[in-house]
């Protein structure tokens, strides 16, 4: 067992999940000090170990960068849950666990003799996080869920793209990631409740729920106003100007989220903020194409870098569109602790995207965890976990 540090130090998480939604939730818990034991199948482990390219490492010991992205701060043990002996070992883990995370299709655990009710009967303090594709019940409760399908079924793709006839997926598996984030949030709430009641609860979420949960203003646009939002490219449906605008040698983004910013922008670039038909945001939304043409006409005399400098000088929120190599080499990214260096057992030193949270003591000293564990190789900790379970304390 490796010592952990962080707000969740002392919390034991048994991770039966695979792919991305569940593993992202357990990585978030591990980032904050929980001990996460990842239970994998003996025949290759987590699905994402085979998702690539890119793969890195020597032949015979190659690692998927996809797997590396979502499994830091975990230990790995392989168990065949159809084998009675391995099921018994899992139950011994459950007896000691604070949290169990699973994303099997509805009914799979029951068929394995590992139903959630029976697990909580063994360990009444156990918090269970269950993530499904479309929910564990309802008319389509047993339906398999994958990220892109959920993005489409949950309406997100209809809001993303160059226009209404060009639905696009988000460039990362956002339904998986969001359901993992919601799941980790639910686990923390359940652990807090357990301090009061002494009993664990079951937390359920789904890819569908996560996507619907972030509809934000697009949701109430329909439920309250009766308007169906549709994709319209890189410009905001309710705020103008707010989006990506062409300039002489590329493009920049601006976000004028208030009338004071509109006036500041106009003053900085020689425009009249009280131009008839453009003086208020509702008017500008109605005249969207005219405003875009106006802004891009002004920007056509500027290259991107001096334009961004001028926008900063004027006090207008603006930015560029960075590629990922630019993001990870950016001083601001590095300053926020968004890269972590770990020692991988076969790859050696590697740099990973880091946790997005930082913690500070009342005196201002940063107390964010720094000693992160590399994503494990398959069954890397199997022997040590078995030895730990056979010890008298097991804790």
């Amino acid at each position: 067992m490796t010592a952990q540090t962080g707000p969740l130090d002392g919390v034991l998480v048994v991770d039966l999940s695979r792919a991305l939604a569940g593993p992202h939730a357990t990585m978030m818990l591990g980032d904050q000090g929980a001990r996460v034991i990842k239970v994998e199948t003996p025949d290759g482990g987590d699905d994402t170990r085979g998702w690539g390219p890119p793969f890195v490492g020597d032949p015979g010991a190659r690692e998927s960068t996809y797997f590396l992205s979502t499994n830091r701060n975990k230990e790995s043990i392989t168990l065949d849950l159809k084998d009675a002996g391995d099921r018994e070992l899992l139950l011994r883990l459950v007896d000691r666990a604070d949290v169990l995370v699973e994303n099997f299709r509805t009914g799979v655990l029951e068929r394995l003799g590992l139903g959630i009710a029976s697990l909580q009967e063994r360990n009444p303090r156990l918090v269970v996080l269950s993530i499904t594709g479309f929910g564990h019940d309802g008319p389509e409760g047993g339906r398999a869920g994958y990220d892109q399908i959920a993005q489409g079924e949950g309406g997100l793709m209809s809001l993303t793209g160059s226009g209404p006839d060009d639905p696009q997926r988000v460039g990362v598996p956002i339904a998986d990631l969001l359901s993992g984030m919601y799941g980790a949030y639910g686990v923390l709430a359940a652990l807090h409740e357990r301090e009061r009641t002494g009993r664990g609860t079951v937390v359920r979420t789904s890819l569908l729920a996560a996507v619907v949960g972030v509809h934000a203003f697009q949701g109430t646009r329909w439920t309250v106003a009766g308007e169906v939002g549709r994709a319209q490219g890189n410009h905001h449906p309710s705020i103008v100007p707010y989006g990506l605008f062409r300039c002489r040698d590329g493009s920049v983004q601006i976000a004028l989220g208030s009338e004071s910013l509109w006036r500041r922008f106009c003053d900085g670039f020689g425009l009249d903020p009280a131009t008839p038909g453009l003086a208020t945001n509702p008017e500008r939304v109605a005249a969207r194409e005219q405003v875009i043409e106006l802004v891009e006409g002004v920007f056509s005399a500027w290259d991107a870098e001096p334009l961004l400098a001028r926008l900063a000088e004027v006090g207008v929120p603006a930015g560029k569109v960075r590629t990922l190599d630019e993001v990870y080499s950016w001083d601001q990214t590095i300053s926020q602790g968004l890269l972590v260096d770990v020692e991988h057992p076969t790859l050696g030193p590697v740099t990973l995207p880091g946790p997005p949270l930082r913690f500070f003591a009342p005196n201002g000293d940063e107390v964010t965890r720094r000693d992160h564990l590399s994503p494990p190789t398959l069954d890397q900790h199997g022997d040590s976990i078995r030895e730990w379970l056979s010890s008298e304390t097991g804790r």
Side-chain angles (χ1 to χ4, degrees):
M1 177 178 178
T2 304
Q4 304 278 62
T5 58
L8 296 181
D9 187 25
V11 172
L12 174 61
V13 179
V14 175
D15 183 6
L16 297 182
S17 66
R18 68 272 184 227
L20 188 55
H24 190 73
T26 56
M27 183 175 68
M28 291 177 65
L29 300 174
D31 286 344
Q32 303 312 325
R35 182 186 184 189
V36 179
I37 296 179
K38 183 177 181 67
V39 178
E40 303 189 68
T41 60
D43 57 346
D46 191 308
D47 298 341
T48 61
R49 290 189 183 274
W51 287 3
F55 296 98
V56 290
D58 296 330
R62 67 179 191 168
E63 297 289 337
S64 158
T65 59
Y66 202 118
F67 178 86
L68 296 177
S69 75
T70 194
N71 285 288
R72 63 177 177 260
N73 293 320
K74 301 180 187 181
E75 302 168 58
S76 171
I77 183 173
T78 57
L79 295 176
D80 179 359
L81 298 186
K82 296 179 181 179
D83 176 83
D86 280 2
R87 280 200 308 275
E88 178 58 32
L89 195 147
L90 173 65
L91 291 173
R92 290 165 61 193
L93 275 174
V94 168
D95 290 342
R96 294 161 171 79
D98 297 287
V99 179
L100 180 138
V101 178
E102 63 91 13
N103 59 356
F104 291 104
R105 290 182 65 176
T106 303
V108 170
L109 282 179
E110 284 74 13
R111 291 195 292 273
L112 291 170
L114 299 168
I116 290 173
S118 65
L119 297 180
Q120 288 191 309
E121 185 176 346
R122 288 182 65 104
N123 179 357
R125 290 177 57 81
L126 183 69
V127 171
V128 177
L129 169 61
S130 179
I131 302 177
T132 54
F134 293 89
H136 78 288
D137 54 6
E140 300 188 42
R143 184 177 172 186
Y146 282 85
D147 176 84
Q148 186 159 339
I149 296 172
Q151 285 194 43
E153 292 278 28
L156 191 58
M157 288 177 66
S158 75
L159 301 171
T160 309
S162 62
D165 298 323
D166 179 37
Q168 294 284 327
R169 61 182 288 274
V170 177
V172 295
I174 195 68
D176 280 323
L177 295 169
L178 287 170
S179 58
M181 293 168 66
Y182 276 122
Y185 160 70
V187 165
L188 296 180
L191 288 172
H192 180 73
E193 181 186 44
R194 191 182 70 175
E195 293 300 304
R196 176 172 53 85
T197 66
R199 297 187 64 86
T201 53
V202 179
V203 179
R204 297 189 187 277
T205 191
S206 66
L207 276 63
L208 173 64
V211 170
V212 174
V214 295
H215 282 171
F217 71 91
Q218 294 282 20
T220 49
R221 183 179 179 182
W222 163 248
T223 64
V224 179
E227 293 183 6
V228 178
R230 300 298 299 270
Q232 56 185 67
N234 291 314
H235 291 277
H236 199 288
S238 303
I239 308 171
V240 174
Y242 188 122
L244 184 70
F245 295 86
R246 292 188 298 269
C247 61
R248 186 160 56 193
D249 68 343
S251 59
V252 300
Q253 301 203 92
I254 61 172
L256 305 190
S258 69
E259 297 301 345
S260 63
L261 284 173
W262 167 247
R263 291 190 294 272
R264 190 178 301 168
F265 173 77
C266 289
D267 291 344
F269 288 90
L271 301 174
D272 179 6
T275 299
L278 304 182
T280 67
N281 184 67
E283 290 177 297
R284 294 192 296 274
V285 170
R288 179 188 312 279
E289 296 306 318
Q290 179 184 345
V291 176
I292 293 173
E293 183 178 349
L294 175 67
V295 172
E296 291 190 336
V298 171
F299 286 178
S300 65
W302 294 78
D303 289 339
E305 289 302 327
L307 175 56
L308 288 169
R310 175 59 178 164
L311 288 164
E313 179 184 359
V314 171
V316 170
K320 63 177 68 175
V321 177
R322 296 176 185 265
T323 58
L324 290 192
D325 57 323
E326 293 173 325
V327 172
Y328 287 116
S329 61
W330 188 18
D331 289 345
Q332 187 62 23
T333 299
I334 296 168
S335 76
Q336 299 306 297
L338 295 172
L339 292 168
V340 296
D341 296 321
V342 298
E343 186 72 26
H344 190 273
T346 62
L347 301 176
V350 295
T351 299
L352 304 174
L357 296 176
R358 299 167 70 193
F359 293 83
F360 294 82
N363 65 1
D365 289 345
E366 185 166 2
V367 292
T368 305
R369 175 182 177 180
R370 299 296 187 191
D371 60 328
H372 296 281
L373 307 179
S374 73
T377 57
L378 184 61
D379 201 38
Q380 178 182 341
H381 305 92
D383 290 343
S384 62
I385 292 171
R386 287 178 171 85
E387 181 179 354
W388 169 68
L389 286 174
S390 66
S391 68
E392 287 188 2
T393 58
R395 191 72 171 178

